[in-house]
Amino acid sequence: MLRIKDLSFSYGKEKVLDQIDLDIFRHTTTAIIGPSGCGKTTLLYIMAGLLAFEKGEMVWSIEHQSRASRKGIILQNYGLFPWKTVENNIKLGLITQKRPKEVVQKSVDEIMERLNITEIRHKYPHQISGGQRQRAAIGRTLVLKPELLLMDEASSALDALTKETIQDLVLEIFLEQSMSMVFVTHSIEEAVFLGQNILIMEQGKIKEKIKNENVGMADHRKEASFYEKCIEVRSALERRTSC
Amino acid sequence: MLKRVARIGKTLYGVFGILLIWMLLDLIIKSAVVPAPFETISYFVRHMDQVLMHLIYSFYRIVVAISASLLIGIPLGMVMGLLRWGDSILSPIVYLAYPIPKIAFLPVFMILFGLGDTSKIVLIFSIIVFQIMIGVRDGIKAIPLEVHLSSQSLGLNSWDKIRHIIFPSILPKLLSSLRISIGIAMSALFLGENYATTYGIGYYIMNNWIMVDYLAMFAGIVGLSLMGLLIFSGIDWIESRWCRWTK
Ligand SMILES: Nc1ncnc2c1ncn2[C@@H]1O[C@H](COP(=O)(O)OP(=O)(O)OP(=O)(O)O)[C@@H](O)[C@H]1O
Ligand SMILES: [Mg+2]
């Protein structure tokens, strides 16, 4: 659904992305992992259309061309609007699409129920916890039913259990909706749990692509194959940083 | 409910505090210049119609000046905050004009805009408008990058962005700029009302001073304070309704 060819990007003189080649296929998940500053966020912004690239190609092939927001992004620090309640944050995208009021309310109620944030719907972002903030940000993006969901280190600031609950939730939603997902993470476990394709990035290049067939397997985290994959990704990461 | 009780409690405390200080001053100074509080209040109540008429003139001038300042200051501040060329064209002018004591221009305003209400309104306007422009610009500049990015990715058009992103983010700064400038504007109006008018609370106070009617003068001061309180409560009210997230 998205093909990136020979794409480069720089901030001034500093080359941040260097000849990226990448295919995102329909209904797949892709994890991007790599050391801090290697250009993960930048790549995601380019895919989201928030940054213009200088060189290369980015080609979309999407069925519902008419759909207003084909891609949705969840930012590294969520970017919730401080002056809107959780509910109104989630609502905004739909309101500006001029949908009928009842339809908007119904979708918003459903997604809040789903993400278990109905009780905090009237709170402002500064009044809720990091995990709740993240779920609000996920809700704000998912309510627009994007075909490609982009997530930037969504759960890095959360405790281990909250992190896993959110991973489970994201996986569940992914499996039931026809959606593709690209997410940036610093956690090897998260990459292996959610990523059917795992991209190892370093200094603006994609150094390695690892396939991971077991996403969605029951009790995945307790399987030996999970740990094997984790070790594979870890050694790939170490291989890169050691040279 | 509890909050409201607390707020009323605070106001009452303020009123009693001031009355107490006033009474002490009256006792210590023992001069007719500081009349006793209860005498003053009773005078104020008995001559309510007169004081009120002068207050209404002043209030009208202030409200018109505030509205004009908002009408012109908000768009200009937005141009400064949103457009790079807007900032480089307007900011130098604003920075130079802002610290000049505008009251010094009262004679100029009176020559240009006549002796009537207009020159007084222009005077207050010239005090408030720069503060508003700066407040709006700073409010816009303080919007974090992520907020811009997420509004872009949600597909907001320019009008939605102004309504849902820009406007709420400038409102708190706008209101505090207004609070700061209104104090200054009221003292300027007080001075301005001593020229070429026989209406306005400034005229009333100074005129009674000349006539050595200290009781009436103090009733005027009480009226002026009440008007200030009213305007400030109005701003507080707007803030509590439209800036809930800042609590
Ligand atoms: N606005 C900017 N202006 C100039 N340079 C930038 C800007 N944003 C990022 N960079 C640079 O681009 C490089 C890549 O940044 P990016 O945010 O994509 O890294 P990242 O892989 O997401 O890192 P992290 O894991 O810490 O989030 C960094 O070296 C950074 O210094
Ligand atoms: Mg990043």
Side-chain angles (χ1 to χ4, degrees), chain A residues 99-137:
Chain A
R99 305 271 184 86
K101 254 201 172 108
E102 312 81 66
V103 179
V104 170
Q105 193 60 53
K106 192 162 166 277
S107 320
V108 171
D109 285 344
E110 264 170 29
I111 201 89
M112 284 193 303
E113 192 63 41
R114 195 65 217 275
L115 294 166
N116 202 9
I117 45 178
T118 311
E119 305 90 78
I120 54 157
R121 63 198 295 169
H122 299 305
K123 291 201 172 180
Y124 290 96
H126 73 274
Q127 298 170 323
I128 59 180
S129 74
Q132 292 169 330
R133 230 171 276 164
Q134 183 190 21
R135 276 177 283 162

Short mmCIF file of all heavy atoms in Angstrom, two decimals, chain A residues 99-137:
data_model
loop_
_atom_site.label_atom_id
_atom_site.label_comp_id
_atom_site.label_asym_id
_atom_site.label_seq_id
_atom_site.Cartn_x
_atom_site.Cartn_y
_atom_site.Cartn_z
N ARG A 99 -19.30 15.42 9.86
CA ARG A 99 -20.20 14.27 9.95
C ARG A 99 -21.40 14.66 10.81
O ARG A 99 -21.30 15.54 11.64
CB ARG A 99 -19.49 13.10 10.62
CG ARG A 99 -18.19 12.70 9.99
CD ARG A 99 -18.44 11.67 8.90
NE ARG A 99 -17.17 11.21 8.36
CZ ARG A 99 -16.46 10.22 8.89
NH1 ARG A 99 -16.90 9.61 9.97
NH2 ARG A 99 -15.33 9.84 8.35
N PRO A 100 -22.52 13.94 10.63
CA PRO A 100 -23.68 14.21 11.48
C PRO A 100 -23.34 13.98 12.95
O PRO A 100 -22.58 13.07 13.28
CB PRO A 100 -24.72 13.19 11.01
CG PRO A 100 -24.23 12.68 9.71
CD PRO A 100 -22.77 12.95 9.59
N LYS A 101 -23.96 14.79 13.80
CA LYS A 101 -23.66 14.77 15.22
C LYS A 101 -23.79 13.40 15.87
O LYS A 101 -22.94 12.97 16.64
CB LYS A 101 -24.60 15.74 15.95
CG LYS A 101 -23.92 17.02 16.39
CD LYS A 101 -24.73 17.66 17.51
CE LYS A 101 -23.97 18.82 18.10
NZ LYS A 101 -24.50 20.14 17.77
N GLU A 102 -24.89 12.69 15.54
CA GLU A 102 -25.15 11.41 16.20
C GLU A 102 -24.09 10.39 15.80
O GLU A 102 -23.64 9.58 16.62
CB GLU A 102 -26.53 10.85 15.81
CG GLU A 102 -27.69 11.83 15.89
CD GLU A 102 -27.77 12.72 14.67
OE1 GLU A 102 -28.03 12.21 13.57
OE2 GLU A 102 -27.56 13.95 14.80
N VAL A 103 -23.70 10.44 14.53
CA VAL A 103 -22.68 9.51 14.05
C VAL A 103 -21.37 9.75 14.78
O VAL A 103 -20.71 8.81 15.24
CB VAL A 103 -22.48 9.69 12.53
CG1 VAL A 103 -21.41 8.75 12.02
CG2 VAL A 103 -23.79 9.50 11.79
N VAL A 104 -21.02 11.03 14.93
CA VAL A 104 -19.78 11.39 15.64
C VAL A 104 -19.83 10.85 17.05
O VAL A 104 -18.92 10.16 17.51
CB VAL A 104 -19.60 12.93 15.65
CG1 VAL A 104 -18.46 13.31 16.57
CG2 VAL A 104 -19.35 13.45 14.24
N GLN A 105 -20.93 11.14 17.76
CA GLN A 105 -21.04 10.74 19.15
C GLN A 105 -20.94 9.23 19.30
O GLN A 105 -20.29 8.72 20.21
CB GLN A 105 -22.35 11.27 19.74
CG GLN A 105 -22.41 11.18 21.25
CD GLN A 105 -21.29 11.98 21.92
OE1 GLN A 105 -21.10 13.16 21.65
NE2 GLN A 105 -20.52 11.32 22.77
N LYS A 106 -21.58 8.53 18.38
CA LYS A 106 -21.58 7.08 18.46
C LYS A 106 -20.16 6.52 18.29
O LYS A 106 -19.71 5.70 19.08
CB LYS A 106 -22.51 6.51 17.39
CG LYS A 106 -22.80 5.05 17.55
CD LYS A 106 -24.05 4.64 16.74
CE LYS A 106 -24.12 3.12 16.63
NZ LYS A 106 -23.28 2.60 15.52
N SER A 107 -19.46 7.01 17.29
CA SER A 107 -18.08 6.52 17.09
C SER A 107 -17.20 6.85 18.27
O SER A 107 -16.38 6.03 18.70
CB SER A 107 -17.45 7.15 15.85
OG SER A 107 -18.34 7.24 14.80
N VAL A 108 -17.38 8.07 18.80
CA VAL A 108 -16.54 8.50 19.92
C VAL A 108 -16.83 7.63 21.15
O VAL A 108 -15.90 7.16 21.83
CB VAL A 108 -16.75 9.99 20.22
CG1 VAL A 108 -16.06 10.39 21.51
CG2 VAL A 108 -16.22 10.83 19.07
N ASP A 109 -18.11 7.39 21.43
CA ASP A 109 -18.48 6.56 22.58
C ASP A 109 -17.90 5.16 22.43
O ASP A 109 -17.36 4.59 23.39
CB ASP A 109 -20.00 6.47 22.69
CG ASP A 109 -20.60 7.76 23.24
OD1 ASP A 109 -19.81 8.56 23.79
OD2 ASP A 109 -21.81 7.97 23.11
N GLU A 110 -18.01 4.61 21.23
CA GLU A 110 -17.50 3.26 20.99
C GLU A 110 -16.01 3.16 21.26
O GLU A 110 -15.55 2.27 21.97
CB GLU A 110 -17.77 2.88 19.53
CG GLU A 110 -19.05 2.08 19.33
CD GLU A 110 -19.38 1.96 17.85
OE1 GLU A 110 -18.42 1.97 17.03
OE2 GLU A 110 -20.57 1.89 17.54
N ILE A 111 -15.27 4.12 20.71
CA ILE A 111 -13.82 4.03 20.82
C ILE A 111 -13.38 4.25 22.27
O ILE A 111 -12.45 3.60 22.76
CB ILE A 111 -13.12 5.01 19.85
CG1 ILE A 111 -11.68 4.58 19.59
CG2 ILE A 111 -13.09 6.43 20.37
CD1 ILE A 111 -11.55 3.65 18.45
N MET A 112 -14.10 5.12 23.00
CA MET A 112 -13.74 5.36 24.40
C MET A 112 -14.00 4.12 25.24
O MET A 112 -13.21 3.76 26.11
CB MET A 112 -14.51 6.55 24.96
CG MET A 112 -13.98 7.90 24.46
SD MET A 112 -14.59 9.32 25.36
CE MET A 112 -16.34 9.13 25.16
N GLU A 113 -15.12 3.47 24.93
CA GLU A 113 -15.48 2.23 25.62
C GLU A 113 -14.38 1.20 25.38
O GLU A 113 -13.86 0.57 26.30
CB GLU A 113 -16.82 1.74 25.04
CG GLU A 113 -17.48 0.64 25.80
CD GLU A 113 -17.87 1.07 27.20
OE1 GLU A 113 -18.35 2.23 27.38
OE2 GLU A 113 -17.67 0.27 28.11
N ARG A 114 -14.02 1.08 24.14
CA ARG A 114 -13.01 0.14 23.69
C ARG A 114 -11.67 0.34 24.40
O ARG A 114 -11.01 -0.61 24.82
CB ARG A 114 -12.83 0.37 22.18
CG ARG A 114 -12.11 -0.70 21.46
CD ARG A 114 -12.98 -1.93 21.56
NE ARG A 114 -12.11 -3.09 21.71
CZ ARG A 114 -11.57 -3.71 20.69
NH1 ARG A 114 -11.84 -3.32 19.47
NH2 ARG A 114 -10.77 -4.71 20.88
N LEU A 115 -11.29 1.61 24.54
CA LEU A 115 -9.99 1.92 25.13
C LEU A 115 -10.08 2.09 26.64
O LEU A 115 -9.10 2.43 27.30
CB LEU A 115 -9.41 3.19 24.49
CG LEU A 115 -9.06 3.08 23.00
CD1 LEU A 115 -8.82 4.44 22.41
CD2 LEU A 115 -7.84 2.21 22.81
N ASN A 116 -11.29 1.90 27.16
CA ASN A 116 -11.49 1.97 28.60
C ASN A 116 -11.14 3.36 29.16
O ASN A 116 -10.49 3.49 30.18
CB ASN A 116 -10.64 0.91 29.28
CG ASN A 116 -11.16 0.57 30.65
OD1 ASN A 116 -12.26 1.02 31.02
ND2 ASN A 116 -10.38 -0.17 31.41
N ILE A 117 -11.59 4.40 28.47
CA ILE A 117 -11.35 5.75 28.97
C ILE A 117 -12.66 6.52 29.11
O ILE A 117 -12.66 7.74 29.22
CB ILE A 117 -10.38 6.55 28.05
CG1 ILE A 117 -10.76 6.38 26.60
CG2 ILE A 117 -8.95 6.14 28.31
CD1 ILE A 117 -9.88 7.17 25.65
N THR A 118 -13.77 5.78 29.15
CA THR A 118 -15.06 6.46 29.26
C THR A 118 -15.17 7.27 30.55
O THR A 118 -15.72 8.37 30.55
CB THR A 118 -16.21 5.44 29.18
OG1 THR A 118 -15.97 4.60 28.06
CG2 THR A 118 -17.54 6.11 29.01
N GLU A 119 -14.61 6.75 31.63
CA GLU A 119 -14.76 7.46 32.92
C GLU A 119 -14.00 8.78 32.94
O GLU A 119 -14.33 9.68 33.70
CB GLU A 119 -14.26 6.62 34.10
CG GLU A 119 -14.88 5.25 34.24
CD GLU A 119 -14.08 4.22 33.47
OE1 GLU A 119 -13.03 3.80 33.97
OE2 GLU A 119 -14.50 3.85 32.36
N ILE A 120 -12.95 8.89 32.14
CA ILE A 120 -12.16 10.12 32.19
C ILE A 120 -12.48 11.03 31.02
O ILE A 120 -11.73 11.96 30.73
CB ILE A 120 -10.64 9.82 32.19
CG1 ILE A 120 -10.29 8.94 31.00
CG2 ILE A 120 -10.21 9.19 33.48
CD1 ILE A 120 -8.85 9.05 30.60
N ARG A 121 -13.61 10.82 30.39
CA ARG A 121 -13.93 11.57 29.17
C ARG A 121 -13.97 13.08 29.39
O ARG A 121 -13.66 13.85 28.50
CB ARG A 121 -15.26 11.10 28.59
CG ARG A 121 -16.44 11.34 29.52
CD ARG A 121 -17.63 10.49 29.15
NE ARG A 121 -18.17 10.86 27.85
CZ ARG A 121 -19.07 10.14 27.20
NH1 ARG A 121 -19.51 9.01 27.73
NH2 ARG A 121 -19.53 10.53 26.05
N HIS A 122 -14.36 13.51 30.60
CA HIS A 122 -14.49 14.96 30.84
C HIS A 122 -13.23 15.57 31.44
O HIS A 122 -13.22 16.73 31.80
CB HIS A 122 -15.69 15.24 31.74
CG HIS A 122 -16.97 14.80 31.11
ND1 HIS A 122 -17.35 15.23 29.86
CD2 HIS A 122 -17.95 13.96 31.54
CE1 HIS A 122 -18.52 14.67 29.55
NE2 HIS A 122 -18.89 13.88 30.55
N LYS A 123 -12.17 14.79 31.56
CA LYS A 123 -10.94 15.34 32.13
C LYS A 123 -10.06 15.94 31.05
O LYS A 123 -10.14 15.57 29.88
CB LYS A 123 -10.18 14.24 32.86
CG LYS A 123 -10.89 13.78 34.11
CD LYS A 123 -9.90 13.10 35.02
CE LYS A 123 -10.57 12.81 36.36
NZ LYS A 123 -9.66 12.15 37.28
N TYR A 124 -9.20 16.85 31.49
CA TYR A 124 -8.25 17.45 30.55
C TYR A 124 -6.94 16.65 30.58
O TYR A 124 -6.63 16.00 31.58
CB TYR A 124 -7.99 18.91 30.95
CG TYR A 124 -9.20 19.77 30.69
CD1 TYR A 124 -10.11 20.07 31.68
CD2 TYR A 124 -9.44 20.27 29.40
CE1 TYR A 124 -11.23 20.84 31.44
CE2 TYR A 124 -10.55 21.04 29.14
CZ TYR A 124 -11.44 21.33 30.16
OH TYR A 124 -12.55 22.08 29.89
N PRO A 125 -6.17 16.73 29.49
CA PRO A 125 -4.95 15.92 29.40
C PRO A 125 -4.02 16.04 30.61
O PRO A 125 -3.39 15.05 31.00
CB PRO A 125 -4.28 16.44 28.13
CG PRO A 125 -5.40 16.87 27.27
CD PRO A 125 -6.45 17.41 28.21
N HIS A 126 -3.93 17.22 31.23
CA HIS A 126 -3.00 17.33 32.35
C HIS A 126 -3.55 16.67 33.61
O HIS A 126 -2.84 16.56 34.61
CB HIS A 126 -2.65 18.80 32.63
CG HIS A 126 -3.74 19.58 33.27
ND1 HIS A 126 -4.73 20.20 32.55
CD2 HIS A 126 -4.01 19.83 34.57
CE1 HIS A 126 -5.55 20.79 33.39
NE2 HIS A 126 -5.15 20.59 34.61
N GLN A 127 -4.81 16.25 33.57
CA GLN A 127 -5.40 15.64 34.76
C GLN A 127 -5.37 14.11 34.72
O GLN A 127 -5.92 13.48 35.61
CB GLN A 127 -6.86 16.09 34.90
CG GLN A 127 -7.01 17.58 35.09
CD GLN A 127 -8.46 18.03 34.97
OE1 GLN A 127 -9.20 17.50 34.15
NE2 GLN A 127 -8.86 19.02 35.76
N ILE A 128 -4.78 13.53 33.67
CA ILE A 128 -4.82 12.07 33.55
C ILE A 128 -3.40 11.50 33.50
O ILE A 128 -2.44 12.23 33.31
CB ILE A 128 -5.64 11.63 32.31
CG1 ILE A 128 -5.04 12.22 31.04
CG2 ILE A 128 -7.08 12.05 32.45
CD1 ILE A 128 -5.79 11.83 29.78
N SER A 129 -3.32 10.20 33.69
CA SER A 129 -2.00 9.55 33.76
C SER A 129 -1.42 9.35 32.36
O SER A 129 -2.12 9.49 31.36
CB SER A 129 -2.14 8.21 34.45
OG SER A 129 -2.75 7.30 33.56
N GLY A 130 -0.14 9.00 32.33
CA GLY A 130 0.54 8.79 31.05
C GLY A 130 -0.15 7.72 30.19
O GLY A 130 -0.33 7.91 28.99
N GLY A 131 -0.54 6.62 30.83
CA GLY A 131 -1.19 5.55 30.09
C GLY A 131 -2.54 5.97 29.53
O GLY A 131 -2.91 5.63 28.41
N GLN A 132 -3.27 6.76 30.34
CA GLN A 132 -4.57 7.25 29.88
C GLN A 132 -4.39 8.24 28.74
O GLN A 132 -5.14 8.26 27.77
CB GLN A 132 -5.32 7.91 31.04
CG GLN A 132 -5.73 6.91 32.10
CD GLN A 132 -6.22 7.60 33.36
OE1 GLN A 132 -5.79 8.69 33.71
NE2 GLN A 132 -7.13 6.95 34.06
N ARG A 133 -3.35 9.06 28.86
CA ARG A 133 -3.06 10.03 27.82
C ARG A 133 -2.78 9.31 26.51
O ARG A 133 -3.21 9.71 25.44
CB ARG A 133 -1.83 10.85 28.23
CG ARG A 133 -2.05 12.33 28.10
CD ARG A 133 -0.89 13.08 28.73
NE ARG A 133 -1.09 13.22 30.16
CZ ARG A 133 -0.13 13.54 31.02
NH1 ARG A 133 1.10 13.73 30.59
NH2 ARG A 133 -0.40 13.67 32.29
N GLN A 134 -2.02 8.22 26.64
CA GLN A 134 -1.70 7.50 25.44
C GLN A 134 -2.93 6.88 24.81
O GLN A 134 -3.12 6.93 23.60
CB GLN A 134 -0.70 6.39 25.76
CG GLN A 134 -0.32 5.71 24.49
CD GLN A 134 0.46 4.48 24.74
OE1 GLN A 134 0.41 3.92 25.83
NE2 GLN A 134 1.18 4.06 23.75
N ARG A 135 -3.81 6.34 25.66
CA ARG A 135 -5.02 5.76 25.10
C ARG A 135 -5.90 6.82 24.47
O ARG A 135 -6.53 6.58 23.44
CB ARG A 135 -5.78 4.98 26.18
CG ARG A 135 -5.22 3.57 26.32
CD ARG A 135 -5.88 2.81 27.41
NE ARG A 135 -5.37 3.24 28.71
CZ ARG A 135 -5.99 3.01 29.85
NH1 ARG A 135 -7.13 2.36 29.86
NH2 ARG A 135 -5.47 3.44 30.97
N ALA A 136 -5.90 8.02 25.07
CA ALA A 136 -6.66 9.11 24.45
C ALA A 136 -6.09 9.44 23.08
O ALA A 136 -6.84 9.64 22.11
CB ALA A 136 -6.63 10.35 25.35
N ALA A 137 -4.76 9.46 22.99
CA ALA A 137 -4.14 9.77 21.70
C ALA A 137 -4.44 8.68 20.68
O ALA A 137 -4.73 8.96 19.51
CB ALA A 137 -2.64 9.94 21.87
#
